[in-house]
Amino acid sequence: MCGIAGFLRASGVRDAVDPADVLKKMAGALVHRGPDSSGYWWNADNGIGFSHRRLAIVDLTPAGHQPMVSQSGRYVITFNGEIYNHLDLRAAIAEDRRHVSAQNGLNTPLSWSGHSDTETLLAGFDAWGIADTVSRSNGMFAMAIWDLAEKTLTLARDRLGEKPLYYGWHGDNFLFGSELKALQAHPSFHAKVDRGALCLMLRHGYVPAPYSIFEGIAKLEPGSMLTVSPSMRSSQVVAYWSLKDTIDAAQSNGFLGSPQQAVDELEGLLTDAVSKQMMSDVPLGAFLSGGIDSSTIVALAQSRSKNKVKTFTIGFQEEAYNEAIYAKAVADHLGTNHTELYVTPKQAMEVIPRLPTLYDEPFADSSQIPTFLVSQLAREHVTVSLSGDAGDELFCGYNRYQFTSKLWSGISATPHAIRSILAWGLTSLSPEQWSHIDARFGKILPSQVRVANLGDKLHKAASLLGNDSSDELYRSLVSYWRAPASIVIGGHEPPTYLTGLAPNLSGLDTVERMMALDALTYLPDDILVKVDRAAMGVSLESRVPFLDHRVVEFAWRLPMSMKLRDGMTKWVLRELLDRHVPKALIERPKMGFGVPLDTWLRGPMRQWAEDLLAPERLAREGFFHPELIRQRWAEHLSGSRNWQSLLWNVLMFQGWLENQQGNVG
């Protein structure tokens, strides 16, 4: 729901620009996030202004209009998101009000103007203060609150990072907003690419928090609150909820019940989370891929709905990328009102020019394309859609967890000298030479033991043999460009959770450590960014029931034997789903939600990519050393190597840079 933006002037500063005009422009940059109405608020005495674009979901009347002022007049808020337990908060606020009134011999019942969760938050601030209210809130949100008594600005973001929030001082103005384009609408914004963040983007395919692609702008990290004032340039950031603390608490308070009790408790928690997230005054549906996670969410939603839940999926003619047939089977079994769209390569590729505007900073998870398409499909029928994201990170769903754990067991048991000899042997032949050997002798091998792109895989295996810890091995496996600073001119890779800033996870085994690192990095900075920008790009609100913090906390209390059992991932979740959907409709190899980039880059997308990767263009723009990029491009075109992911990272930056129209340095 909605897009927010605003700015705070430093004390004593008076700009020549009209603040109302600036706030309107900042809001205008976010019209896709909130097409229903807009508003702004300006306080000249303190140099603070808020703007808001509204996607009306709960309380469609003017009583839900933002920015909104609290009943006491002390607090002003601009808010993006949903507070799913806001009716419970209203009841608690009313009870506290009755208790205080009775003590004072008064009878002053609390009055409400409407039924929006925004009004509930403001009443909570009046009753309990900002920090306590945020901690009590169950939802997804990014919000800015001005306290007229303390003359402080507070920014807050939800626990797991579903909703985005950027901020930073540029000149004499502290800027903030849901997307970078809102900050860029402020006249004091100076757009200079952070080359360290560019290195991170090439490694991961995204820019991880707290960094952004622009110097001087940060992302507020999940579960955090920031406080700043006009007289204080430095800002204070504190965590009101921590995944690390949740994991630590789970280790000392693990689930002690039986497997059956675990399934029962998970079903109760997740059903309640789904029920709360079905709160809406506009049409609601759900994404359905036919996999375990989305099928579980849809099954529980249908069990709580009197009407057929609207479900949506897209399919591809390429069999390796098509999950639509499985989604339809699940929809038929559950009796949902199902809509599917089979997408042609032409339709999918038509999305690509929109990606730089949609994602607002370079972002290279290629599943952004089908995610946008399914969001676009859903928006034709509903305004809110439930999503099955986060099941993999919480319940050990990714195949790479088991693969990495087993690989590290083998590597760590092998002396380093022997590993070095093995690596030398694997790299003594080039990938092309291995390909020639595979082409000559591979035909005589049974199909089940043949390996596609043998040379690439052997060279990658050789690089993994040199890793000295499971964390280092995992970082290698989730990295695209292994040494991005070597191709970014003036690039220096800053530290992240994967390179020196990771919290102490010593109490976890190898698989649990990877799950924790994914929940801290890949989930908020890739998965949730992908869904938020794709959905909000078509004015669709996406909700993620698995990220109800009660579900997250329970999932971490479960022993690994209830997540990974006899090689089966997501065991407890499968058991829950078995109560609603037959195993035969679900049990199949895990599929990614992607597109055939490798062949598209060699075919219909070739000229587009060639233009962006032209050596003279790369040299003129001054961000990349062209040689290695051009080598990868030539090898990919020849078919001798598959560099689709590395090239896509570069192409997404190049597309973003082109979209900036020369306005960045």
Side-chain angles (χ1 to χ4, degrees), residues 284-286 288 298 302 307-313 331-332 334-340 381-382:
L284 176 144
L288 179 60
V298 170
Q302 189 59 72
N307 303 313
K308 290 187 174 184
V309 173
K310 295 182 173 71
T311 54
F312 307 94
T313 190
D332 288 344
L334 294 173
T336 69
N337 182 357
H338 190 58
T339 302
E340 62 181 11
H381 305 269
V382 299

Side-chain angles (χ1 to χ4, degrees), residues 39 50 105 120 124 134 178 218 249 258 337 361 405 432 436 440 470 496 527 582 612:
F50 290 169
T120 305
V134 170
S178 298
S258 68
N337 182 357
E361 69 178 337
S405 179
E432 291 81 2
H436 290 315
R440 178 173 295 183
S470 59
T496 67
I527 299 297
L612 291 175

Side-chain angles (χ1 to χ4, degrees), residues 322-400:
N322 184 39
E323 290 189 295
I325 53 175
Y326 308 113
K328 188 176 187 308
V330 172
D332 288 344
H333 175 79
L334 294 173
T336 69
N337 182 357
H338 190 58
T339 302
E340 62 181 11
L341 172 68
Y342 273 78
V343 178
T344 67
K346 181 176 182 295
Q347 288 173 300
M349 285 183 284
E350 285 173 349
V351 175
I352 292 171
R354 302 182 62 173
L355 296 177
T357 301
L358 279 171
Y359 284 88
D360 212 25
E361 69 178 337
F363 183 80
D365 183 336
S366 62
S367 62
Q368 63 201 133
I369 297 172
T371 302
F372 173 78
L373 289 167
V374 75
S375 298
Q376 190 176 55
L377 174 65
R379 188 61 179 93
E380 295 174 4
H381 305 269
V382 299
T383 311
V384 179
S385 185
L386 303 181
S387 163
D389 289 304
D392 287 315
E393 290 82 3
L394 292 178
F395 298 101
C396 191
Y398 292 125
N399 294 328
R400 64 174 179 261

